[in-house]
C-alpha cells in the first residue's frame, strides 16, 4: 500500500486509515465525519490529497494536444490559471475527470484521481506521438493539501504572511510558507472558498503542521465525500464512468464545442437518462446502487452517491433517471431496504455558501 | 475498547444484558460504534416482533454505510429505544447506556450463557 508524506501525521492524529485506490488514506480523524464536515462549512478544514496524480504536459504543441485530448478548452486558459476538465475515451465515455493548470504557454499540469493516474497517463501517451509534447509523471514529486472553508483565506494569509484574499478563483500563486515554496491554487472540492497547496513531497508535513497549528481541522476522505456531494460535484466511479456521457449530466458545461478525441461517439448520442440530484423527503438514506422508482413504482433509475447531509440533516443523492422524469420537482422514490421512500428531483448544489 | 464484563456479546458486535429479570437489553459494542463512526440513522424493530437469534432485525447507518443488527437470542421484542429516532448519535456517546437499541424477552433465557464473554469478544474484535 502506498503512503503519502503525511502517513505518520495521520497515525499520530488517530485517523482511521483505509485502502483508497491503493493508498493508505485517512477516512476520518477522531473528531468524526460530521464534525469535520461542519468545520469546513463554518471555519476551515485541511485535507491530505497527496495521493492524487500530477502529470506534466509540455512542449510546442502542448496546448493543441490538450485541446484534443481533454473536454474543456485549454486554449481559453490563461497562464497562472486552472480549470476543471475531463478526459474522454473513444466511445464517448470518460477515462477520468481532471484539473488542468497552465503554468506557461506550453507547460501544463494535469491533476488526476489517484486510482486513474495510470490510465490517464496511458490515454495521454497514446495520443502523444501525433504532437510535439512530452508527458512526465510528477506524482511522486508533489504533495497536495486542500485548505477549505470560509476562514481558509484568512488562515492561509496568516500562515503565509501575505495577502491572498484577492487571488481569483482558479488562479495560482507561488508563496513562501515557513521558508518552503508552495504553489497555491484557489480551488477545491467542497463548495466552499479554499485553496489547494502543491508542496514538494518532503515539505508537505511542515506545511500541514503550520495549517493545523493555526487551527484548521484535519479532515478525512469521508468528509471530503459528504462535502462534495452537498456541493453537487461528481466523483469518478460514481457519477462519472467509462460509459458516462458528460453531456447528459449537470457538468455538460465542461464539454466545449471543438474537435476532441471521441467526439463523434459523444456529441450526437441521445440522453436516455440524465444525472440529477435527489432530495429524499421520507425517512431513509439513499446509497450507491439503490433503485429509483417513478410514481407508478416502475424502476426508472439508480443512485450513484447518497448520504445524510451533516449540515442540513436531509438525505441527498445523485442518480441517473430516465430523461422524461429528470425535471426539477418531479416526485420519485428510492428503494431503501425494500421500502419506497419518497424523493424529489432537485438540481444540485444542495448547499451554497 | 470498552467491553464491560457483566455483558455477553456476539460475533456481530451486539451486547446483551443478563436476563435475570426475564428481559435482555441489546445494543452495539463500543468497538462497533467506533468502527462505524458517526451514527446518523437507526431503523428499529416493532415491539411485539418475534425474532430468531442471528436474524437481521435493525439497521444502523453511519455517514458512510448501512449495517445490519442481529438478534442475539430467540424471543420477542418488548421495547425499543425511541430516543434514537431523534438522536441516533446517542449510540456513539454511550453505546452501553443511552445508545441501547431494543429489549428482548428471550424464549430461553439460559441461551444467554452461550454468548461470548467479554474477553472472548475482545479477541474476536481484534481479529477484525
Amino acid at each position: 500500500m502506498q503512503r503519502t508524506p503525511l502517513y505518520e501525521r495521520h497515525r499520530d492524529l488517530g485517523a482511521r486509515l483505509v485502502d483508497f485506490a491503493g493508498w493508505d488514506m485517512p477516512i476520518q480523524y477522531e473528531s468524526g465525519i460530521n464534525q469535520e464536515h461542519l468545520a469546513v462549512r463554518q471555519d476551515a478544514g485541511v485535507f491530505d490529497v497527496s495521493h492524487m496524480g500530477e502529470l506534466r504536459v509540455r512542449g510546442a504543441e502542448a496546448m493543441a494536444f490538450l485541446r484534443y485530448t481533454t473536454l474543456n478548452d485549454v486554449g481559453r486558459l490563461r497562464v497562472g490559471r486552472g480549470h476543471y476538465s475531463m478526459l474522454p475515451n473513444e466511445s464517448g465515455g470518460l477515462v477520468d475527470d481532471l484539473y488542468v493548470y497552465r503554468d506557461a504557454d506550453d507547460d501544463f499540469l494535469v491533476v488526476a484521481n489517484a486510482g486513474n493516474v495510470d490510465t490517464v497517463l496511458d490515454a495521454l501517451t497514446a495520443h502523444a506521438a501525433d504532437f510535439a509534447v512530452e508527458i512526465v509523471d510528477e506524482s511522486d514529486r508533489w504533495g497536495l493539501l486542500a485548505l477549505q472553508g470560509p476562514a481558509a483565506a484568512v488562515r492561509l494569509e496568516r500562515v503565509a504572511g501575505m495577502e491572498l484574499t484577492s487571488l481569483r478563483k482558479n488562479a495560482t500563486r507561488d508563496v513562501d510558507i515557513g521558508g518552503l515554496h508552495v504553489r497555491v491554487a484557489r480551488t477545491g472540492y467542497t463548495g466552499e472558498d479554499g485553496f489547494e497547496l502543491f508542496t514538494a513531497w518532503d515539505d508537505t508535513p511542515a506545511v500541514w503542521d503550520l495549517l493545523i497549528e493555526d487551527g484548521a481541522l484535519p479532515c478525512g476522505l469521508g468528509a471530503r465525500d459528504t462535502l462534495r456531494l452537498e456541493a453537487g460535484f461528481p466523483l469518478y466511479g460514481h457519477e462519472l464512468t467509462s460509459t458516462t456521457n458528460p453531456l447528459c449530466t449537470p457538468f455538460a458545461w465542461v464539454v466545449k464545442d471543438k474537435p476532441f478525441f471521441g467526439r463523434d461517439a459523444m456529441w450526437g448520442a441521445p440522453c436516455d437518462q440524465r444525472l440529477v440530484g435527489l432530495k429524499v423527503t421520507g425517512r431513509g438514506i439513499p446509497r450507491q446502487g439503490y433503485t429509483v422508482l417513478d410514481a407508478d413504482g416502475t424502476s426508472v433509475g439508480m443512485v450513484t452517491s447518497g448520504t445524510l447531509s451533516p449540515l442540513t440533516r436531509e438525505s441527498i443523492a445523485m442518480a441517473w433517471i430516465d430523461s422524461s422524469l429528470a425535471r426539477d420537482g418531479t416526485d420519485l422514490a428510492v428503494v431503501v431496504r425494500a421500502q419506497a421512500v419518497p424523493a424529489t428531483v432537485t438540481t444540485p448544489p444542495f448547499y451554497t455558501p | 475498547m470498552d467491553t464491560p464484563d457483566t455483558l455477553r456479546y456476539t460475533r456481530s458486535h451486539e451486547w446483551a444484558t443478563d436476563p435475570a429479570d426475564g428481559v435482555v437489553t441489546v445494543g452495539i459494542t463500543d468497538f462497533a460504534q467506533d468502527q462505524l463512526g458517526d451514527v446518523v440513522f437507526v431503523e428499529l424493530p416493532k415491539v411485539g416482533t418475534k425474532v430468531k437469534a442471528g436474524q437481521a432485525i435493525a439497521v444502523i447507518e453511519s455517514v458512510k454505510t448501512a449495517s445490519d443488527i442481529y438478534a442475539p437470542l430467540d424471543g420477542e421484542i418488548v421495547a425499543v429505544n425511541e430516543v434514537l429516532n431523534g438522536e441516533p448519535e446517542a449510540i456513539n456517546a454511550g453505546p452501553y447506556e443511552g445508545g441501547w437499541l431494543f429489549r428482548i424477552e428471550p424464549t430461553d433465557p439460559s441461551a444467554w450463557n452461550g454468548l461470548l464473554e467479554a474477553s472472548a469478544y475482545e479477541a474476536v474484535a481484534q481479529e477484525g
Side-chain angles (χ1 to χ4, degrees), chain A residues 7-350:
Chain A
Y7 175 78
E8 300 294 336
R9 295 292 192 281
H10 301 324
R11 290 200 54 163
D12 292 347
L13 285 164
R16 170 143 337 115
L17 295 160
V18 298
D19 177 357
F20 183 85
W23 292 78
D24 214 349
M25 295 300 290
I27 193 90
Q28 64 166 79
Y29 299 87
E30 283 176 352
S31 39
I33 294 176
N34 280 337
Q35 215 180 309
E36 292 167 25
H37 184 108
L38 295 177
V40 170
R41 291 282 178 247
Q42 292 159 1
D43 183 350
V46 60
F47 302 79
D48 176 18
V49 287
S50 301
H51 60 312
M52 296 193 74
E54 292 86 10
L55 304 175
R56 176 73 58 192
V57 177
R58 67 182 157 218
E61 292 183 317
M63 186 186 83
F65 173 74
L66 286 173
R67 278 198 94 209
Y68 179 67
T69 53
T70 65
L71 295 179
N72 208 333
D73 186 357
V74 295
R76 301 188 198 178
L77 191 59
R78 285 156 54 187
V79 172
R81 293 288 173 89
H83 68 197
Y84 179 61
S85 192
M86 298 170 180
L87 191 70
N89 61 25
E90 62 192 1
S91 52
L94 299 171
V95 177
D96 200 7
D97 60 344
L98 311 165
Y99 235 80
V100 180
Y101 292 97
R102 189 168 199 171
D103 289 350
D105 278 342
D106 57 358
D107 187 352
F108 298 83
L109 191 68
V110 174
V111 182
N113 282 305
N116 290 336
V117 184
D118 292 340
T119 51
V120 169
L121 183 60
D122 288 349
L124 289 176
T125 304
H127 298 291
D130 302 330
F131 295 85
V133 287
E134 176 192 23
I135 303 168
V136 182
D137 186 351
E138 295 188 351
S139 300
D140 57 6
R141 266 189 57 186
W142 296 104
L144 188 56
L145 304 176
L147 179 68
Q148 299 281 299
V154 170
R155 291 192 177 281
L156 188 58
E157 283 181 335
R158 197 155 49 212
V159 169
M162 69 183 289
E163 190 278 330
L164 286 163
T165 303
S166 65
L167 187 68
R168 307 215 355 215
K169 190 170 154 58
N170 283 322
T172 62
R173 190 174 292 174
D174 291 316
V175 305
D176 180 298
I177 296 180
L180 304 169
H181 171 254
V182 179
R183 165 68 58 88
V184 166
R186 195 153 203 178
T187 181
Y189 190 47
T190 61
E192 293 293 336
D193 185 22
F195 302 83
E196 297 205 344
L197 287 71
F198 293 84
T199 50
W201 188 264
D202 292 334
D203 292 348
T204 315
V207 177
W208 167 271
D209 290 347
L210 288 169
L211 295 172
I212 306 276
E213 280 161 23
D214 186 69
L217 187 74
C219 296
L221 296 182
R224 190 168 162 83
D225 191 46
T226 53
L227 287 158
R228 69 93 191 166
L229 186 53
E230 260 182 14
F233 295 143
L235 175 61
Y236 193 87
H238 290 249
E239 286 69 39
L240 308 177
T241 69
S242 62
T243 57
T244 304
N245 183 341
L247 294 173
C248 307
T249 74
F251 321 109
W253 62 268
V254 173
V255 188
K256 299 301 191 288
D257 188 1
K258 60 175 172 58
F260 60 81
F261 178 67
R263 178 180 164 125
D264 291 349
M266 183 188 296
W267 202 263
C271 295
D272 297 333
Q273 292 201 318
R274 290 189 178 274
L275 186 69
V276 302
L278 291 178
K279 219 177 237 188
V280 174
T281 48
R283 244 175 84 79
I285 303 175
R287 305 281 185 184
Q288 183 180 24
Y290 284 14
T291 301
V292 181
L293 307 176
D294 67 8
D296 300 329
T298 307
S299 170
V300 295
M302 198 165 81
V303 172
T304 54
S305 297
T307 193
L308 187 91
S309 159
L311 188 72
T312 65
R313 297 267 170 173
E314 291 175 311
S315 284
I316 56 173
M318 284 196 265
W320 284 100
I321 301 294
D322 290 354
S323 293
S324 60
L325 297 167
R327 189 178 308 186
D328 217 42
T330 306
D331 287 325
L332 301 170
V334 179
V335 181
V336 181
R337 293 183 286 279
Q339 300 254 330
V341 180
T344 305
V345 175
T346 307
T347 304
F350 300 103

Side-chain angles (χ1 to χ4, degrees), chain B residues 5-90:
Chain B
D5 285 337
T6 51
L7 303 173
R8 291 290 165 92
Y9 300 87
T10 67
R11 291 184 165 271
S12 47
H13 308 288
E14 291 88 8
W15 54 261
T17 55
D18 186 327
D21 57 357
V23 171
V24 171
T25 302
V26 178
I28 65 164
T29 64
D30 181 50
F31 173 81
Q33 71 76 23
D34 186 58
Q35 288 292 308
L36 279 170
D38 295 333
V39 173
V40 295
F41 186 85
V42 180
E43 204 171 277
L44 296 167
K46 286 198 170 55
V47 171
T49 310
K50 299 269 198 297
V51 300
K52 289 274 187 198
Q55 184 186 350
I57 57 166
V59 176
I60 294 181
E61 296 208 40
S62 66
V63 181
K64 297 297 287 179
T65 62
S67 305
D68 283 325
I69 304 302
Y70 302 92
L73 301 166
D74 293 356
E76 182 179 332
I77 303 294
V78 293
V80 298
N81 186 359
E82 305 278 1
V83 170
L84 298 178
N85 290 323
E87 294 172 39
E89 61 274 18

